[in-house]
Amino acid sequence: MKLSKFSFFIPISSKYYIIYNALNKSLMLVDEELKKSLENSNFSRIPDNVLKKLIQNRIIIDDELDELAVYEYIFNKNKYRMGYANFLVLTTYDCNFACVYCYQGVDKPHTYMDLDTAKGVVNYIENFSKDRFAKVIQVGLYGGEPLLNLKACNTILSGVFKMCEQEDIKFSAFLITNGSLMTPKVISRLKDYGLNRIQVTVDGTRDVHNRRRPFKGGKGSFDIIMSNVMKCVDLVPIILRINVDKDNLSNIPEFLDFLIEAGLRNRVELWIGFVRGLGHYCEAVQLTDESICKMRYELWKLAIKKGFKFLWHPVTLALCTAMRESSVIIDPKGILYKCWGLLGDEKFSIGSIYESKFKPIYYKYMTRNPLRNKKCRECYALPYCNGGCLYEAYIRTGNMFTMYCGSVQSKSGLEYMLKLYALTKYENILKTKGISINDII
């Protein structure tokens, strides 16, 4: 027997550790004595009942098991998975906001998807899904601000919804919106066509948010967004995202208190994101990779203390859109992409809804493999990271196909999040060991 190469220890208090296996998502609480026995392969010193658990959780494995071969098998199975299809559709590149960190800049393209293209998108989704024997289809609406082109939103969702009903396919849709046009009437209509999740971004309290995410022309957007959230929160589940950088970091505690006072603590899902990217603003205010990991941890600790639910959970080999054969992004002109962060630049496009063949770059996306990288092969976080984020690789190195250990999927980021997960998931067990959120290292 041997300790799995994907098992690693995370100190959680002065006396206890989490041991986590990144390939199997298994997690156990161990003390210093058990940790030393595992590190030194002194398995005979481990009580039989504990050893049995370690083997069941595949923290300890058979000597002859090649875990990189297991990883490669699951990696390829997930990459080329049939029976499922996922689409992100941009109904427009235009937006009614002038966010200071927007990747499109202030002068956004006034490109809107016309109804003929929207119908073409429905046909493309149907054919793409049939080729992959999809019995589950998910469509996301994105932009720009997708609700500026409500006709295209309705055309796409209604068309795919009807097709799925006829073919007995499970369908769901989500919406990423700035919230300014998110009225109950609009959301109720989209809900009829399968909408079951909305993400809205609010970057802090009124003055801070309005400085960062104003309407074009400078008018504040905070009041109308929060009004719409309050009106729609019981129609469809809402994820409230906060984009954090040096500018609004100190305002987050006050904003969390605002959400509590507004009665939203248990009515919205909270997500803490971070500003990343190129451009003058982003480069001036974004936090370093290590600072992002640490601050995400501290902000989530604060949010948990204030009673917000921590909804993150461990994942393994959860490949992004850019690495899955069954996922594609469609822009307002029907041009196809693989990476969210590289939209709008046609040198990164893989084709069009009107073409049957992909461009050569498609095969670079689909053959990006972290097992070709020595550092990745030796890393215990490989099943979580899978070579890192393509967009982060691009903005940091200029090459999206290289492997990059950044803030999004880093080892330290995983360790921080696992501490919070263990604390919330196994709170009662940890209490018996005298461990609470105040004791977490």
Side-chain angles (χ1 to χ4, degrees), residues 200-206 209 222 225-227 229-230 233 238-242 251-272 300 303 306-309:
V200 181
T201 300
V202 184
D203 275 359
T205 53
R206 181 180 286 104
H209 172 90
F222 181 87
I225 294 171
M226 292 311 305
S227 175
V229 167
M230 296 300 293
V233 69
I238 292 177
I239 300 166
L240 207 59
R241 178 187 173 98
I242 312 169
N251 182 247
I252 304 306
E254 184 181 349
F255 180 57
L256 295 178
D257 289 337
F258 166 82
L259 294 177
I260 293 169
E261 292 171 11
L264 290 171
R265 175 167 48 194
N266 296 313
R267 298 174 71 195
V268 297
E269 297 180 13
L270 186 67
W271 190 249
I272 298 171
W300 268 118
K306 290 180 178 290
F308 288 89
K309 293 179 181 178

Side-chain angles (χ1 to χ4, degrees), residues 8-102:
F8 59 96
F9 298 94
I10 307 167
I12 197 169
S13 74
S14 59
K15 297 180 179 179
Y16 289 96
Y17 299 82
I18 295 168
I19 185 167
Y20 179 73
N21 186 283
L23 184 62
N24 306 306
K25 300 187 296 182
S26 53
L27 180 151
M28 292 178 66
L29 186 68
V30 300
D31 58 18
E32 187 70 45
E33 183 179 355
L34 181 53
K35 176 177 178 286
K36 287 180 180 178
S37 295
L38 287 167
E39 288 177 327
N40 296 323
S41 299
N42 290 330
F43 302 138
S44 61
R45 298 182 58 185
I46 300 173
D48 289 345
N49 62 322
V50 177
L51 185 62
K52 184 178 179 180
K53 279 281 187 184
L54 290 164
I55 294 171
Q56 284 176 344
N57 288 328
R58 288 174 284 181
I59 289 170
I60 295 175
I61 59 171
D62 190 279
D63 284 324
E64 297 181 3
L65 182 63
D66 181 350
E67 289 186 285
L68 288 179
V70 175
Y71 171 86
E72 185 173 19
Y73 166 71
I74 301 172
F75 178 81
N76 287 324
K77 185 172 72 170
N78 289 355
K79 176 177 282 193
Y80 300 109
R81 174 186 172 192
M82 296 285 107
Y84 173 84
N86 178 274
F87 305 89
L88 184 72
V89 183
L90 284 73
T91 61
T92 180
Y93 279 120
D94 198 7
C95 186
N96 53 343
F97 279 19
C99 301
V100 292
Y101 49 75
C102 181

